[in-house]
Amino acid sequence: MPTIKDIAKMAGVSHGTVSNVLNGRGNVSVEKIKAVERAAMQVGYQLNAQAKSLRAGHTNTISVILPDMTTTHYNKLYLGLHNLLSRQGYEVELYITNDQQQNELQFIPKIAAKRNYAVITVSCLEDANEYYNQLKIEPEKIVFAYRNIPHAQQYLSLDFQLAGQQIAEKIKNKGLKHIGLYTDLGKYSCTSEFKQGFEQYWLSQHAERQLTHIQTFPSRAYNDAFNFFTDAVPEAIITSDIEKARYIKNADFLGNLGNKPLIYSLSDAVFIVEERIHQYHMNYELLGKRIAELLLHNPDQPEINIKNRGFMFRNQPEILSSVTTTRSLNLLTLPSPSTDALKKLLPHFKHQSGIDVRLNVHQFNDIYEILTNLEHHQYYDIIRIDMAGLPWFAKSTLKPLKELGSDVYQLLTNYSQQIVKRYSQVNNQFYAIPFDPSIQMLFYRKDLFNDAKIKRMFYEEYKRELAPPTTFAEFDIITRFFSRALNPQSPLEYGSCASLGNTEIVASEFLLRYYSLGGRLRQEDCSLKLDPVLGTQAIQQYVDSLSVVKKLSATWWNESVSLFESGSVAMIIVYMNLFSHTQHSAISPLVGVDNVPDSKALIGGGSLGMSKFSQKEAEVAEFFKWVFSDEIAEQLVLLGGTSANNCVYDNPDIMEYYPWLDIPHKTGYNGVRETFFQDGSSLNLRMVEKAIGQAIGNRINGIMTTEETVQYINTRLTDNEFRG
């Protein structure tokens, strides 16, 4: 077996240098890093990470023991654990018991020998002391999930008793007298709680009701499903997981000559249509995530309670109506990932409501003109209005939400107070509901930022560590470093890019730098102007940066995102709602995300409100209750759109696919957009940004000096057209 000594000899370096390179540390030159990597590859050396961790007292491994990986709730639990733990640098090791005690008992000593950091188990044993007596791990780092076996000290699960009760409530008015219950073995706490919740509600309602309970284990589950069809077939069969529900469907198809039973089943939290199966949704993956958080952050925190999702789309008929009507709504919106996602979902709304929603998609500038002259466009019922224009247009174009009824107004409780304040409220009146809130974020190539050779190359050039920039000074340095015109060794052609084909985009990218310096547009005396010193500094920084970035003539940020997606640039700053589709591309695993430099991002996105000229309050209210429901909010995000509905942050799939959504959520969308004066009056921010962008465009083209640009902007901003 090759050793460090062999590598050192072949590379012509010391043992210490080899150790530093293999362990990612030390002040080693790029040439020596390359030499060591070549030598290690030639001799076939692999770093023994486990032995390295054992020298530290324990491995960086967490063992997970499950009955199987085919059952949804075990599979999703594992995904929730693995996704978070692996991102934190832990290795997750999986053991499958097939619900056999002898298998589980054999795994425990093997795990003990490895001195793991923690163990998570869905145990089929009779006593938790089998773990405590053999594993040299703190008891709080041995977590029992789903099944609360005797003497378990750390146990986390979901509310299976409530699930049983709510399924019983769901079928209470169907006139059923014979129910089948198909579960795992009743000795497990999750099964007994589920059965108890159902029995207490179901059997207490009518004495003549009958319950047939069949318990099974994985190897017999398919065979046992046929037992429901040997005698009197239950009118409905309730299963403890979706796999058993599918077995019931098969057994019904192959072995039943009588009436087909209704099928209800526990399922995971993601809505996927299953023919004939009424799904009660449980947050299995979120449980895995919460267990991982418990182990990593706060072992002493109290028991975590995770709410059941229940029956999704519960306010809509189980069999959607096929009735067609002539009712319709016209929705004015702009092209965006959220609009694309909404278009895919509208057939569902028409199918269940009979209302045809027609999307009228216009560019940003066109929508501004329409809103300015809305009396000529009275055929619109719903308007997607940008949050920057909401204060300016709300009173003149939208009906207050209170006119749509308390049910619609109640939808605002799905959002944080900060979101509602910025996207719904104008002068203590609520006009719209947040649709696709967004904020500028930094996206970067984390594979490049973590590459040892690139990091060393950067250090040799700038005598500092390569890391995501926290200031614009750092951002500009890194941009220059990754510009191949200035650094022939750069793996990419450009460090970043800039879109110059739209004045509002130019203003946005300038204002990001201006705000980072502490500048503002609204002054204490309610005047509008740039701070002369900070404005001059920000304009000069922005113009200087254009000499090393890829300049684009695009009129929107889509081309910047495409350039990043193609692997041509190392970093971009863009509104997060425009970035979602990249998660389904090849670049996805390489993407890192962080706050913008200096953390003074502009917020954007918009809301949906009802046009003041529309007379279709009932139809608009029905549409709003649909589109802003938890279920549709999740579907919009899963399809590449954006939502700030509180429900999306508890969906592990969404957080895994779009991790950047969680960053602004945790900071309360703490971004900048000056839409009001201090006295509460609104300003026409779109026209302000257009004027600023036009002036800076003149500076870029050499028509004005930097000082003349600041002076021109400040003279222009004295016009009364900007004030409401």
Side-chain angles (χ1 to χ4, degrees):
M1 180 180 293
T3 66
I4 288 180
K5 181 178 179 180
D6 299 324
I7 297 173
K9 182 177 180 180
M10 179 172 287
V13 298
S14 69
H15 293 183
T17 297
V18 175
S19 178
N20 286 338
V21 172
L22 295 179
N23 289 285
R25 64 172 186 266
N27 189 10
V28 184
S29 68
V30 174
E31 290 74 15
K32 289 182 178 179
I33 291 174
K34 292 179 179 178
V36 170
E37 289 180 344
R38 283 195 300 269
M41 184 177 297
Q42 290 174 12
V43 302
Y45 179 86
Q46 291 184 339
L47 181 64
N48 190 333
Q50 184 175 0
K52 173 187 170 185
S53 297
L54 282 171
R55 290 193 294 271
H58 60 76
T59 66
N60 217 27
T61 301
I62 294 177
S63 289
V64 179
I65 303 173
L66 299 176
D68 63 70
M69 275 291 284
T70 58
T71 305
T72 299
H73 53 276
Y74 301 142
N75 183 280
K76 291 292 186 177
L77 176 76
Y78 179 79
L79 286 177
L81 292 166
H82 184 272
N83 289 339
L84 180 56
L85 294 173
S86 60
R87 282 201 301 270
Q88 297 297 320
Y90 288 87
E91 181 180 347
V92 181
E93 207 165 65
L94 177 63
Y95 297 84
I96 300 298
T97 67
N98 293 314
D99 255 345
Q100 299 295 317
Q101 291 189 6
Q102 63 269 28
N103 291 341
E104 189 170 347
L105 289 170
Q106 289 175 2
F107 293 149
I108 296 174
K110 292 180 181 179
I111 295 169
K114 296 182 178 182
R115 302 208 308 236
N116 285 355
Y117 176 77
V119 173
I120 302 153
T121 177
V122 179
S123 179
C124 61
L125 300 183
E126 306 294 337
D127 193 336
N129 284 323
E130 295 285 357
Y131 283 87
Y132 301 131
N133 292 338
Q134 297 187 61
L135 300 180
K136 305 304 179 184
I137 301 175
E138 300 94 322
E140 63 268 17
K141 291 183 180 177
I142 303 174
V143 181
F144 293 85
Y146 291 132
R147 301 171 178 176
N148 191 9
I149 68 175
H151 304 114
Q153 298 182 37
Q154 187 81 288
Y155 164 69
L156 290 174
S157 187
L158 303 172
D159 197 337
F160 286 94
Q161 185 167 344
L162 178 64
Q165 176 187 325
Q166 291 184 335
I167 291 177
E169 291 175 350
K170 182 76 171 179
I171 63 176
K172 67 180 180 180
N173 295 323
K174 294 186 178 295
L176 307 178
K177 294 183 179 180
H178 183 194
I179 299 295
L181 191 61
Y182 194 33
T183 68
D184 291 331
L185 299 180
K187 67 177 182 178
Y188 301 131
S189 60
C190 53
T191 301
S192 62
E193 290 166 5
F194 181 52
K195 181 186 177 187
Q196 182 183 25
F198 183 82
E199 280 184 329
Q200 284 180 344
Y201 190 89
W202 174 257
L203 296 180
S204 65
Q205 301 297 306
H206 297 281
E208 70 274 12
R209 286 178 173 174
Q210 178 185 352
L211 180 66
T212 299
H213 183 200
I214 295 179
Q215 307 173 46
T216 190
F217 48 91
S219 62
R220 283 201 54 85
Y222 182 63
N223 194 29
D224 286 343
F226 284 78
N227 293 339
F228 282 103
F229 303 96
T230 56
D231 295 314
V233 179
E235 297 163 284
I237 298 175
I238 299 161
T239 68
S240 58
D241 57 68
I242 200 71
E243 287 72 29
K244 290 183 180 63
R246 292 168 183 157
Y247 293 160
I248 293 294
K249 282 174 60 177
N250 262 34
D252 178 35
F253 179 76
L254 297 170
N256 181 25
L257 292 174
N259 294 328
K260 293 184 177 298
L262 298 171
I263 304 174
Y264 290 82
S265 179
L266 299 187
S267 182
D268 73 346
V270 178
F271 181 80
I272 299 293
V273 175
E274 286 272 358
E275 187 179 358
R276 286 191 60 203
I277 301 176
H278 303 281
Q279 299 175 64
Y280 182 96
H281 299 271
M282 306 280 279
N283 265 312
Y284 301 130
E285 193 170 346
L286 185 60
L287 175 63
K289 182 181 178 183
R290 292 290 185 261
I291 291 173
E293 291 172 342
L294 176 71
L295 290 173
L296 297 179
H297 303 302
N298 186 8
D300 299 321
Q301 72 183 67
E303 182 175 340
I304 300 169
N305 293 315
I306 301 172
K307 292 183 178 179
N308 300 349
R309 293 300 305 273
F311 290 100
M312 297 174 70
F313 297 94
R314 52 196 172 275
N315 295 325
Q316 299 170 37
E318 293 182 5
I319 301 176
L320 299 178
S321 171
S322 60
V323 176
T324 58
T325 72
T326 58
R327 295 194 298 169
S328 64
L329 291 169
N330 293 325
L331 194 160
L332 174 65
T333 186
L334 50 71
S336 73
S338 293
T339 298
D340 293 339
L342 177 61
K343 184 177 182 180
K344 295 172 183 175
L345 296 172
L346 284 176
H348 172 264
F349 178 66
K350 182 176 181 179
H351 192 52
Q352 67 96 24
S353 69
I355 300 173
D356 183 21
V357 178
R358 298 185 287 239
L359 296 182
N360 297 266
V361 182
H362 291 269
Q363 296 298 324
F364 184 84
N365 289 344
D366 293 336
I367 290 180
Y368 179 85
E369 296 300 327
I370 291 171
L371 294 179
T372 302
N373 303 282
L374 191 60
E375 67 274 11
H376 301 308
H377 305 275
Q378 298 185 20
Y379 40 82
Y380 290 119
D381 302 295
I382 301 170
I383 297 169
R384 187 275 186 196
I385 189 165
D386 196 79
M387 62 82 56
L390 180 65
W392 185 258
F393 287 112
K395 190 174 181 180
S396 62
T397 63
L398 302 178
K399 289 186 177 182
L401 287 181
K402 64 183 181 183
E403 296 186 20
L404 297 178
S406 59
D407 287 350
V408 171
Y409 184 82
Q410 188 68 19
L411 293 170
L412 293 176
T413 61
N414 293 335
Y415 305 89
S416 69
Q417 291 184 356
Q418 177 73 357
I419 290 290
V420 170
K421 182 178 179 181
R422 303 300 294 271
Y423 291 83
S424 303
Q425 187 175 5
V426 178
N427 293 331
N428 299 317
Q429 183 73 270
F430 298 94
Y431 287 94
I433 302 176
F435 178 59
D436 57 351
S438 188
I439 192 169
Q440 291 172 317
M441 303 198 76
L442 170 73
F443 297 92
Y444 64 93
R445 285 281 300 277
K446 65 181 179 183
D447 59 319
L448 302 181
F449 279 73
N450 293 331
D451 185 279
K453 292 191 292 292
I454 294 174
K455 289 170 71 73
R456 181 59 195 176
M457 192 189 309
F458 185 83
Y459 181 83
E460 290 180 353
E461 177 71 20
Y462 297 104
K463 299 300 182 287
R464 63 174 72 186
E465 294 296 323
L466 177 62
T470 58
T471 67
F472 269 104
E474 294 173 357
F475 181 87
D476 291 339
I477 289 173
I478 296 172
T479 299
R480 296 178 67 86
F481 171 74
F482 280 111
S483 172
R484 195 171 290 159
L486 300 175
N487 176 17
Q489 297 186 70
S490 171
L492 301 179
E493 190 172 358
Y494 298 101
S496 190
C497 56
S499 298
L500 304 176
N502 181 297
T503 55
E504 282 94 339
I505 291 181
V506 171
S508 176
E509 298 190 355
F510 155 73
L511 286 171
L512 184 59
R513 290 176 179 262
Y514 178 65
Y515 289 136
S516 76
L517 298 173
R520 60 184 178 183
L521 297 176
R522 304 171 306 175
Q523 305 305 315
E524 293 294 340
D525 60 358
C526 289
S527 64
L528 275 178
K529 66 178 180 180
L530 297 180
D531 178 280
V533 175
L534 299 180
T536 299
Q537 187 178 346
I539 291 173
Q540 196 58 51
Q541 283 183 6
Y542 175 60
V543 173
D544 290 344
S545 73
L546 297 179
S547 64
V548 293
V549 302
K550 171 67 173 176
K551 293 186 282 292
L552 305 172
S553 59
T555 58
W556 204 241
W557 281 280
N558 295 17
E559 191 170 332
S560 297
V561 175
S562 296
L563 198 66
F564 181 88
E565 189 176 11
S566 70
S568 299
V569 295
M571 305 178 294
I572 62 170
I573 295 174
V574 68
Y575 283 98
M576 67 177 191
N577 64 320
L578 303 176
F579 198 80
S580 296
H581 75 274
T582 64
Q583 194 60 15
H584 305 289
S585 66
I587 200 74
S588 171
L590 311 179
V591 176
V593 59
D594 209 337
N595 292 314
V596 299
D598 296 303
S599 298
K600 294 290 180 65
L602 274 66
I603 57 175
S607 307
L608 295 182
M610 181 178 180
S611 168
K612 66 180 296 183
F613 294 105
S614 175
Q615 302 300 313
K616 299 180 180 179
E617 285 84 356
E619 288 86 351
V620 172
E622 194 168 351
F623 175 74
F624 278 5
K625 285 186 284 186
W626 173 81
V627 77
F628 294 115
S629 67
D630 290 354
E631 293 86 352
I632 296 301
E634 284 188 335
Q635 294 297 319
L636 284 168
V637 177
L638 288 168
L639 290 170
T642 304
S643 174
N645 187 313
N646 292 327
C647 72
V648 305
Y649 306 109
D650 280 338
N651 186 313
D653 286 335
I654 289 176
M655 292 298 99
E656 181 67 20
Y657 295 149
Y658 312 112
W660 49 84
L661 292 177
D662 203 31
I663 296 176
H665 171 63
K666 288 180 177 177
T667 59
Y669 275 77
N670 188 23
V672 183
R673 213 65 186 271
E674 297 180 87
T675 56
F676 288 97
F677 287 99
Q678 288 86 335
D679 62 3
S681 59
S682 61
L683 63 90
N684 193 335
L685 187 58
R686 189 260 177 180
M687 293 302 294
V688 168
E689 293 178 351
K690 185 174 182 179
I692 291 173
Q694 288 172 340
I696 294 176
N698 289 338
R699 171 63 185 89
I700 293 171
N701 295 323
I703 297 173
M704 295 179 179
T705 66
T706 300
E707 292 74 16
E708 289 171 341
T709 303
V710 173
Q711 184 178 4
Y712 173 86
I713 290 172
N714 284 343
T715 301
R716 183 83 173 81
L717 294 184
T718 60
D719 290 352
N720 290 329
E721 65 176 305
F722 302 118
R723 181 183 297 274

